Amino acid sequence: MRKLLLLTTVILVGIVFIARLFYLQVYGGYEYDIFEDSAIKKEYTYPKRGYVYDRNGKLLVANQPSYDVMVIPREVEPMDSLELIEFCNLLKITREEFDKKLERAKNYSPRLPSPFVPQLSKSDYAVLQEKMRKYIGFYIQKRSLRSYQTTIGANVLGDIGEVNRSIIEKQPYYRLGDLIGKQGVEQSYEEILRGTKGIKFIQKDRFNKNIGPFQEGKLDTLPVPGKDITITIDSELQAYGELLMQHKRGGIVAIEPNSGEILAMVTGPSYNPNILVGRNRSKNYTKLHYDSIAKPLFDRGLLAQYPPGSPFKVINALIGLQEGVVDEHDTFSCRMGYYYGSRKLTGCHHHRSPVDMNMGIAQSCNAYFVNVYRRIIDKYNDAGDGMNKWAKHAKSFGLGDFLNNDLSVGRPGRIPDGDYYDRAYGDNRWGSTYIVSNAIGQGEVEATPIQLANMAAAIGNRGYYYTPHIIKTIEGDTIPSKFTTPKYTTIDRKHFEPVIEGMFDVYNDGTAKALKVEGIEICGKTGTAENFAIIDGKKTQLTDHSIFVAFAPKDNPKIAIAVFVENGYWGSRFAGRMASLMIEKYIKGNITRTDLENWILTHSLENEYAKPISGEPFKINGETTLQVIDNYAIKLEEQEALKQ
């Protein structure tokens, strides 16, 4: 009986052990992860980051070698005082910084490598590498930093910087100390430019000494270099735009209408991209980030949502024609503004009256476009239905929504619809007279410069556009089809000609006739947008913004452009001059209107930007902005009369 009991006990214990082993290996076991094996050292090899070229093949961004001092905290052996002082001197850090960096590395992972002192110079590396064997737990890792072959296009090109913990959590490819594209094309095309890291697995013994490749290197991988890309930017045009924008704030966006390729994307003020490379990157970035007045990191061409002003009038003209509420021959009177009964809803500057569509565009008549706009809205029994129809037409030009492009930042602008005003005023409690400011690009309408440039491209193409994009070619690959597929507006092609004639006459006999360029047929539209800010708790009207949109030549245009200059007085003063110069630079390659160029380069708006602080009044030689516009138009007419 005892023998049977003993045998039974042995069998039961055996069954229990077998069952437990089966559970641990089949159900309770875990898959072996080489990256979690502390006996295997992982050494990464970083690939060459892809180069960036402009549309003409000019190299804009290359690479330069960089050396990071890495640390594996658990392998660090204690140093005596002299060794520690020597090491700190070699790294050009203090003892306190040493302790802080080591503690940060321990918090990240005691057994994984992390950057201790990144981005050593070549000279520092040359001195340090000979002595690294003395400092157990530390080693030098080579990688590439960006080398900008230009001083322009910081907002276009972007930069690279270290990943943070939130990025690592979302994208396991990256580890502490890795670099990632932060802005511009570096961010948009990060996965293409970065390539893929290589890795070596090295076996260590129980004394933590390297004993050779793990599994004879069968699991090791080589780095895959990033792909080179060519962007659509014309670096010469970009540089010229940045030159014109010096001492001014605003944005310039130029697009090739027949492809949607972005030729220039200027923001002012800007900065030299080279200051965000190397060990001073963090310090320099902080300075740029905390400049809350000039905002050099704020890409005004893509992010600034402004009232589009008078350039938006051409959209209302096209909608009016499409909706059949007006034709190019209909006229309206202008008594220095639009009157609703005895009440003046909007002012206007001096010009001839009555006004047809051509003159309305050429002379930028507010009264004409308020009449057109009201007819569009009032065509429908319900103002909300009229607004929805109007908004649908406007949005078909890429306004009021993201353009679905390949740029790292952007904002949608705003095209209000019926629901917008129902929320503001209540259902059926508003009508077209409440919202006439939309007729002239003020009110609730907002647009970014890139949207206005795209609008100009759609008009120049007679009713379609290609999604604006920054990528031209990718090494060994093709660009997405969404950039090569045209998008059509809701306006019939036949309606564009009278509007284009009006924009052409802006240069011939309108608000930009002093800005003509010999040999180039330019179609444009000036704009002046009211500008307000809260100063000392009060809404204060500042100097108006200067706006200009254009395309050229008139037929088969090669360039469409939008220029927005903050506090630039009126459309033809700053923005119009700059647009004409940019068009001539791109089409001719040289400047003949040196009078316009000299004026722009010698006139600054820094004094205007200082007025909210200085307390100076926002007036021009004692006149209001509207008076100056009136007088300017009168002077142009007088000059033309004298010529005749």
Side-chain angles (χ1 to χ4, degrees):
M1 189 68 180
R2 286 183 178 179
K3 289 182 179 180
L4 182 60
L5 180 62
L6 181 61
L7 180 62
T8 302
T9 302
V10 170
I11 292 172
L12 288 174
V13 170
I15 292 173
V16 169
F17 270 103
I18 292 171
R20 181 61 179 167
L21 287 171
F22 178 81
Y23 173 80
L24 288 174
Q25 294 203 15
V26 177
Y27 293 101
Y30 60 89
E31 184 179 352
Y32 173 70
D33 187 350
I34 192 172
F35 290 95
E36 296 297 325
D37 190 338
S38 59
I40 307 297
K41 182 180 179 182
K42 297 87 183 172
E43 286 188 356
Y44 291 96
T45 308
Y46 287 85
K48 174 187 83 71
R49 195 170 176 90
Y51 285 8
V52 180
Y53 298 86
D54 87 336
R55 69 185 296 108
N56 299 312
K58 180 180 178 181
L59 180 61
L60 299 178
V61 188
N63 296 313
Q64 59 179 311
S66 173
Y67 308 92
D68 296 346
V69 176
M70 307 294 290
V71 63
I72 303 175
R74 60 181 272 169
E75 297 181 10
V76 174
E77 294 185 358
M79 291 182 265
D80 60 35
S81 297
L82 291 178
E83 285 180 326
L84 185 55
I85 291 172
E86 179 190 42
F87 193 45
C88 288
N89 288 338
L90 288 170
L91 297 176
K92 297 180 179 178
I93 61 175
T94 64
R95 170 63 188 272
E96 290 74 18
E97 288 174 319
F98 177 93
D99 293 338
K100 185 177 179 180
K101 290 175 181 291
L102 188 58
E103 185 64 27
R104 176 173 174 264
K106 288 178 181 177
N107 290 336
Y108 169 66
S109 173
R111 55 188 174 76
L112 293 177
S114 60
F116 191 73
V117 175
Q119 303 174 13
L120 293 178
S121 66
K122 288 183 181 180
S123 58
D124 289 341
Y125 165 71
V127 173
L128 188 60
Q129 68 168 337
E130 299 177 0
K131 301 185 178 183
M132 282 302 293
R133 58 182 175 76
K134 295 170 54 178
Y135 309 111
I136 308 302
F138 296 89
Y139 67 95
I140 295 177
Q141 179 172 272
K142 182 180 178 180
R143 73 172 79 215
S144 292
L145 288 182
R146 284 316 222 179
S147 174
Y148 295 96
Q149 309 298 300
T150 181
T151 60
I152 55 96
N155 63 310
V156 176
L157 302 173
D159 64 284
I160 59 175
E162 283 192 32
V163 296
N164 54 36
R165 288 186 180 274
S166 64
I167 293 175
I168 294 171
E169 290 172 1
K170 294 175 184 176
Q171 304 181 62
Y173 170 87
Y174 297 100
R175 295 183 175 270
L176 195 65
D178 283 359
L179 302 175
I180 190 172
K182 293 286 189 177
Q183 304 172 85
V185 295
E186 294 282 15
Q187 180 178 348
S188 298
Y189 289 94
E190 162 67 14
E191 292 187 12
I192 290 171
L193 290 168
R194 78 182 182 197
T196 304
K197 288 181 290 190
I199 189 169
K200 291 181 180 179
F201 298 101
I202 300 172
Q203 181 77 54
K204 294 191 288 185
D205 62 15
R206 61 193 182 93
F207 299 107
N208 211 29
K209 303 293 184 183
N210 294 345
I211 57 175
F214 178 67
Q215 293 187 3
E216 299 180 342
K218 293 178 181 178
L219 301 179
D220 296 353
T221 60
L222 294 172
V224 178
K227 295 180 179 180
D228 296 343
I229 64 172
T230 298
I231 60 175
T232 61
I233 293 295
D234 183 316
S235 58
E236 288 191 13
L237 187 66
Q238 177 78 21
Y240 189 61
E242 292 189 13
L243 176 66
L244 298 178
M245 191 60 79
Q246 284 185 357
H247 309 298
K248 306 165 191 74
R249 297 177 190 168
I252 304 173
V253 179
I255 295 172
E256 184 178 66
N258 64 10
S259 67
E261 294 179 355
I262 298 171
L263 303 172
M265 196 164 65
V266 176
T267 183
S270 188
Y271 57 93
N272 186 333
N274 291 284
I275 69 173
L276 295 185
V277 176
R279 294 180 69 174
N280 289 325
R281 180 192 184 278
S282 179
K283 180 179 68 176
N284 291 332
Y285 182 85
T286 300
K287 288 181 180 178
L288 295 172
H289 178 75
Y290 285 103
D291 185 351
S292 59
I293 298 176
K295 299 180 180 178
L297 291 175
F298 183 69
D299 192 332
R300 287 168 165 86
L302 304 178
L303 294 173
Q305 298 183 143
Y306 302 105
S310 293
F312 191 75
K313 292 173 180 176
V314 297
I315 294 295
N316 282 317
L318 290 166
I319 296 173
L321 291 170
Q322 181 68 29
E323 287 293 306
V325 298
V326 68
D327 63 35
E328 63 265 38
H329 304 298
D330 288 340
T331 61
F332 301 97
S333 64
C334 178
R335 297 178 290 148
M336 298 291 286
Y338 178 82
Y339 289 82
Y340 182 64
S342 60
R343 188 158 58 98
K344 189 175 184 179
L345 296 187
T346 182
C348 193
H349 57 266
H350 174 79
H351 57 73
R352 297 184 298 276
S353 182
V355 184
D356 62 8
M357 181 171 289
N358 185 281
M359 185 186 296
I361 296 172
Q363 298 295 337
S364 198
C365 176
N366 289 344
Y368 177 87
F369 285 100
V370 172
N371 276 289
V372 172
Y373 178 74
R374 288 201 62 204
R375 284 191 178 186
I376 297 168
I377 306 303
D378 294 343
K379 174 184 176 181
Y380 298 86
N381 293 329
D382 181 81
D385 292 339
M387 275 302 300
N388 289 337
K389 191 70 173 180
W390 174 87
K392 181 180 178 181
H393 287 306
K395 288 180 178 180
S396 74
F397 287 81
L399 299 167
D401 200 357
F402 288 102
L403 289 168
N404 194 26
N405 52 43
D406 57 345
L407 304 172
S408 61
V409 294
R411 285 185 178 172
R414 181 172 59 219
I415 296 294
D417 57 13
D419 290 340
Y420 181 94
Y421 289 110
D422 283 341
R423 292 192 299 269
Y425 296 108
D427 293 353
N428 300 315
R429 296 178 64 85
W430 57 277
S432 62
T433 56
Y434 284 59
I435 53 176
V436 294
S437 292
N438 292 333
I440 58 175
Q442 297 276 177
E444 287 68 49
V445 178
E446 289 186 342
T448 59
I450 192 172
Q451 289 176 326
L452 294 179
N454 185 64
M455 178 191 82
I459 296 171
N461 287 339
R462 277 69 171 171
Y464 68 92
Y465 66 90
Y466 294 90
T467 299
H469 55 281
I470 200 75
I471 191 69
K472 189 169 180 68
T473 62
I474 301 171
E475 179 186 5
D477 205 346
T478 57
I479 67 171
S481 61
K482 68 178 182 178
F483 298 140
T484 57
T485 305
K487 294 185 176 181
Y488 290 86
T489 70
T490 57
I491 309 300
D492 295 338
R493 183 181 178 89
K494 64 182 180 180
H495 295 313
F496 284 88
E497 290 307 324
V499 172
I500 289 172
E501 285 298 327
M503 295 178 70
F504 183 54
D505 283 342
V506 168
Y507 269 88
N508 287 332
D509 191 36
T511 52
K513 62 184 176 181
L515 309 178
K516 287 190 288 189
V517 177
E518 189 69 30
I520 304 177
E521 291 187 328
I522 306 177
C523 299
K525 184 70 194 75
T526 54
T528 306
E530 290 183 329
N531 176 23
F532 295 90
I534 303 299
I535 301 176
D536 296 330
K538 296 180 181 179
K539 185 179 180 181
T540 304
Q541 184 166 9
L542 314 183
T543 303
D544 293 342
H545 295 317
S546 175
I547 316 167
F548 201 89
V549 301
F551 61 86
K554 180 182 175 184
D555 299 313
N556 300 315
K558 297 179 180 178
I559 182 173
I561 192 168
V563 182
F564 204 108
V565 181
E566 295 179 8
N567 301 49
Y569 297 79
W570 62 87
S572 58
R573 182 174 172 88
F574 278 93
R577 284 179 166 97
M578 293 163 73
S580 291
L581 290 168
M582 290 285 285
I583 289 171
E584 183 175 27
K585 179 71 173 178
Y586 184 68
I587 293 179
K588 290 185 175 181
N590 63 290
I591 298 299
T592 61
R593 288 301 308 267
T594 54
D595 57 325
L596 300 182
E597 183 181 63
N598 291 335
W599 193 94
I600 287 292
L601 296 180
T602 56
H603 283 71
S604 168
L605 286 169
E606 295 293 349
N607 181 58
E608 284 294 328
Y609 305 137
K611 283 182 178 180
I613 300 172
S614 67
E616 290 184 49
F618 293 91
K619 296 209 175 171
I620 311 165
N621 297 326
E623 301 171 314
T624 65
T625 303
L626 187 57
Q627 287 172 325
V628 171
I629 295 172
D630 291 342
N631 292 338
Y632 181 73
I634 293 169
K635 288 175 182 177
L636 286 178
E637 288 186 2
E638 290 173 347
Q639 291 172 5
E640 194 66 26
L642 288 173
K643 290 180 183 178
Q644 297 174 355

